[in-house]
Amino acid sequence: MTLRPGQLKVLLHKQSSTHTGDRAFVCSYCSKAFTQKSILRIHMRTHTGEKPYKCSVCDKDFIYRAYLNRHMRGHTGEKPFSCTVCGKSFTEKSSLKVHKRIHTGVRLFACSFCSKSYTLEGNLKIHMRVHTGERPFSCSVCEKTFAEKGNLKRHMATHSDEKPFRCPVCEKNFKTKSDLKHHMRIHIRKTGQAPFSCSVCAKTFTVEYSLKQHMTIHSEQKPFRCSICEKKFRRKCDVKHHMKIHTGQRPYSCSVCSKGYIQKSHLKQHMKTHIGKRLFTCSVCAQNFTTNNKLRLHMTAHTGEKPYGCSLCVKRFTVQGTLKQHMMTHTGEKPFKCDYCSKEFRSQGDLNRHVRTHTGEKPFRCSVCAKNFRVQSDLKRHMKTHTFSCSACAKGFARDRQLKEHMKTHSEDRPFACSFCAKSYSQMGNLRIHMRIHTGERPYRCSVCASDFPQKSSLKRHMSTHTAEKPFKCSVCANDFRIKRELMDHMRTHSKEKPSSCSVCKNEVSE
């Protein structure tokens, strides 16, 4: 193509200005300078609001032709940029570039407060609001603020009666797209035609993401590892939930009794216990339950069904969680460690109960006498003692037979006499223990050093000498003791109490 002298001059000027850095064209609004007049003309549209490029499908306007081209792909479905690793396609080259970081593991944008990093700068900006507390998006109706624009958008639907998302089957309308998705599952279950099916076990799913998550069950791969105990998980969200076990974090708290939970779903189930909402009724005994899972578990008591079998022994269980705990008896795994004495446990519940022996915490209180207990089962046993009360000393018992036996201690009647000495007892059990003094019988043997003991409680106290466990803690100076008696003696050093008197000089002495 032959250029006229004037055109050649302009072209040479453009070319030279890119090398010299000469910016002769200045914006009259913001004083920004440009090397070419055409670039200035495009820039001016940001001030004037001019959008000369219009979409022929939806009449949306754009400043740049490139923006229109990109937008048109949304209508045509064209995705010209494909990932060479997984084959996923994108409408924009920049989106493909960011996507490739998933395969390379590159996370360029790191948080300066915590160790988290992100592939996109925008995601880091949103994350930073967790630390700064910034909530820039405000509701114009109730002034509630949000960290993300999407959350505000969903919230605004609560103020509006508008329901733009319609079910194509029953024509029911919904405020959000997610609500419509959940609703669609009702129709899918009825027809039995879920769109996503597992190629291994033929299980069907309504959402593709759920199928992908399910497929990890069939795979041996567990790419996500706990940084504390190195336990491996199939999903990243499972690691997040697991980490709360180590941190003790329970972010979901009950507004009624302040009880904390790791997961929101657990709190929701718990809340039903306060409002008395029991929706699920047993068809056999008419007992009500707050969740379908609890009802299903209860039904096994009627059917005797134990669907979860151990692969190493013949034992079977009604709950999968119980099977998991049982499997640890074969593997020897004890993932829950005590921070006080390093003792390890198979379950979080066992650890929690053990920790109370160090802290002295007794969260379970009797509603009758206000006595506190470390374990709920101890409280349940104790509550039965209020059923049968002694008229002489007000001591309570769970059974009538126990009360009758106890009443003998107030009576002078001691029908059980020792055949070796003059001692007699109101109860046969007490005589039996006493007889071991004469016979030398010591039926309780230590599994560590083979020492024998006449009473079970003596063996229990002895065992603490091997474990070095000191469960009894002083509330004043935090000293630890192996047995309760040692703690009681120690407590007198704080109270200056001298409970025993000499029979000769009457001076009080410590025992």
Side-chain angles (χ1 to χ4, degrees):
M1 185 179 74
T2 306
L3 295 172
R4 293 195 301 272
Q7 288 176 318
L8 182 61
K9 190 178 179 181
V10 171
L11 187 62
L12 286 170
H13 175 72
K14 282 182 181 179
Q15 186 68 26
S16 62
S17 63
T18 57
H19 295 296
T20 60
D22 183 26
R23 295 173 176 269
F25 303 98
V26 180
C27 174
S28 57
Y29 288 91
C30 65
S31 303
K32 199 172 182 180
F34 300 91
T35 55
Q36 297 176 31
K37 194 173 183 179
S38 59
I39 299 172
L40 170 62
R41 196 179 295 118
I42 292 167
H43 165 77
M44 289 297 288
R45 293 172 191 158
T46 61
H47 298 296
T48 60
E50 184 190 359
K51 294 181 179 181
Y53 302 100
K54 183 172 280 193
C55 173
S56 57
V57 180
C58 65
D59 291 333
K60 200 171 182 181
D61 299 323
F62 299 90
I63 293 174
Y64 309 116
R65 184 184 290 277
Y67 287 1
L68 172 61
N69 292 341
R70 199 162 58 203
H71 167 79
M72 287 303 290
R73 292 179 196 135
H75 294 299
T76 61
E78 183 190 1
K79 292 182 179 182
F81 306 100
S82 295
C83 175
T84 54
V85 179
C86 66
K88 195 173 181 180
S89 299
F90 299 88
T91 54
E92 299 176 47
K93 195 174 183 178
S94 58
S95 300
L96 173 61
K97 198 175 180 181
V98 171
H99 166 78
K100 280 185 175 179
R101 292 174 193 162
I102 296 168
H103 300 298
T104 60
V106 176
R107 290 173 173 263
L108 301 174
F109 307 99
C111 174
S112 56
F113 290 92
C114 66
S115 57
K116 279 196 173 182
S117 56
Y118 298 88
T119 52
L120 285 171
E121 190 178 12
N123 292 346
L124 173 62
K125 281 181 180 178
I126 292 168
H127 165 76
M128 288 298 286
R129 292 171 191 155
V130 174
H131 299 294
T132 61
E134 185 190 4
R135 300 168 75 90
F137 303 101
S138 177
C139 174
S140 57
V141 180
C142 66
E143 297 183 358
K144 194 174 181 180
T145 55
F146 299 88
E148 296 181 46
K149 195 174 183 179
N151 293 343
L152 170 62
K153 201 173 180 181
R154 281 190 292 272
H155 166 77
M156 288 303 290
T158 61
H159 295 298
S160 168
D161 291 329
E162 190 183 354
K163 294 180 179 180
F165 302 96
R166 175 169 286 189
C167 172
V169 180
C170 65
E171 296 189 350
K172 193 174 181 180
N173 295 321
F174 298 90
K175 285 183 177 179
T176 64
K177 197 173 184 178
S178 60
D179 289 343
L180 173 59
K181 276 185 177 179
H182 283 301
H183 167 78
M184 286 301 292
R185 291 172 190 170
I186 297 168
H187 298 300
I188 290 164
R189 286 193 202 103
K190 283 179 180 177
T191 58
Q193 296 176 341
F196 304 101
S197 176
C198 174
S199 57
V200 180
C201 66
K203 193 173 181 180
T204 55
F205 299 88
T206 55
V207 184
E208 188 178 12
Y209 176 76
S210 301
L211 172 60
K212 283 180 180 178
Q213 291 291 320
H214 166 79
M215 289 303 289
T216 60
I217 296 168
H218 300 298
S219 168
E220 293 295 321
Q221 192 179 6
K222 291 183 177 182
F224 303 100
R225 178 175 288 186
C226 171
S227 58
I228 297 172
C229 67
E230 296 193 350
K231 193 174 181 181
K232 293 178 180 178
F233 298 89
R234 291 188 178 94
R235 300 181 302 173
K236 194 175 182 179
C237 62
D238 292 338
V239 183
K240 284 182 178 179
H241 285 308
H242 168 78
M243 284 302 289
K244 290 171 186 172
I245 294 168
H246 295 298
T247 61
Q249 185 188 5
R250 291 175 174 265
Y252 304 101
S253 182
C254 174
S255 57
V256 180
C257 66
S258 302
K259 198 172 181 182
Y261 293 90
I262 291 171
Q263 296 185 39
K264 196 174 183 179
S265 58
H266 295 169
L267 173 61
K268 279 185 176 179
Q269 285 183 14
H270 165 77
M271 287 303 291
K272 291 174 184 176
T273 62
H274 291 300
I275 60 175
K277 194 176 182 181
R278 295 180 176 268
L279 306 173
F280 305 94
T281 305
C282 174
S283 57
V284 180
C285 65
Q287 194 173 339
N288 294 319
F289 298 90
T290 53
T291 66
N292 195 27
N293 283 339
K294 286 180 181 177
L295 171 60
R296 200 180 294 122
L297 180 63
H298 165 78
M299 287 303 289
T300 59
H302 297 298
T303 61
E305 183 189 1
K306 292 184 177 182
Y308 303 100
C310 175
S311 57
L312 299 174
C313 67
V314 294
K315 278 197 170 183
R316 300 190 69 81
F317 302 90
T318 54
V319 186
Q320 192 174 23
T322 312
L323 171 61
K324 280 183 180 178
Q325 282 190 21
H326 165 77
M327 288 303 288
M328 290 176 190
T329 61
H330 295 297
T331 62
E333 185 187 0
K334 292 183 177 181
F336 304 95
K337 184 179 278 190
C338 175
D339 293 332
Y340 293 91
C341 65
S342 299
K343 197 173 180 181
E344 294 174 336
F345 298 89
R346 291 191 182 97
S347 72
Q348 181 70 44
D350 291 341
L351 173 61
N352 290 343
R353 281 188 288 274
H354 165 77
V355 166
R356 290 176 198 143
T357 63
H358 296 294
T359 62
E361 185 192 2
K362 294 182 178 181
F364 303 100
R365 174 169 285 191
C366 173
S367 57
V368 180
C369 67
K371 194 175 181 180
N372 295 318
F373 297 89
R374 286 194 185 94
V375 188
Q376 194 172 22
S377 57
D378 290 347
L379 172 61
K380 283 181 178 178
R381 274 196 299 271
H382 165 78
M383 286 303 289
K384 293 173 183 176
T385 64
H386 293 297
T387 311
F388 301 97
S389 295
C390 174
S391 57
C393 65
K395 194 173 182 180
F397 298 89
R399 295 178 180 87
D400 187 38
R401 178 179 55 80
Q402 291 171 333
L403 174 60
K404 283 177 181 176
E405 285 293 316
H406 165 76
M407 289 303 288
K408 292 173 185 176
T409 61
H410 297 295
S411 168
E412 291 183 2
D413 183 27
R414 292 174 177 264
F416 304 101
C418 175
S419 57
F420 290 92
C421 66
K423 280 199 171 182
S424 59
Y425 297 89
S426 58
Q427 296 178 23
M428 174 59 84
N430 293 344
L431 173 62
R432 198 178 292 122
I433 292 168
H434 166 77
M435 287 299 287
R436 291 172 190 156
I437 297 169
H438 301 294
T439 61
E441 184 190 2
R442 300 168 79 89
Y444 301 100
R445 174 165 287 188
C446 173
S447 58
V448 180
C449 66
S451 291
D452 298 323
F453 299 89
Q455 294 186 46
K456 195 176 182 179
S457 58
S458 302
L459 171 61
K460 200 173 180 182
R461 281 195 296 272
H462 165 78
M463 287 304 289
S464 64
T465 63
H466 294 299
T467 61
E469 186 182 353
K470 295 181 177 181
F472 301 97
K473 188 184 283 287
C474 175
S475 57
V476 180
C477 66
N479 271 336
D480 300 322
F481 300 91
R482 287 194 181 95
I483 58 174
K484 195 173 183 179
R485 175 71 184 183
E486 288 176 356
L487 173 60
M488 288 171 75
D489 288 341
H490 165 78
M491 288 303 289
R492 288 173 189 153
T493 63
H494 295 298
S495 63
K496 308 298 182 185
E497 180 189 355
K498 294 182 178 180
S500 302
S501 298
C502 175
S503 58
V504 180
C505 65
K506 305 299 180 184
N507 282 336
E508 290 184 330
V509 293
S510 294
E511 289 182 339

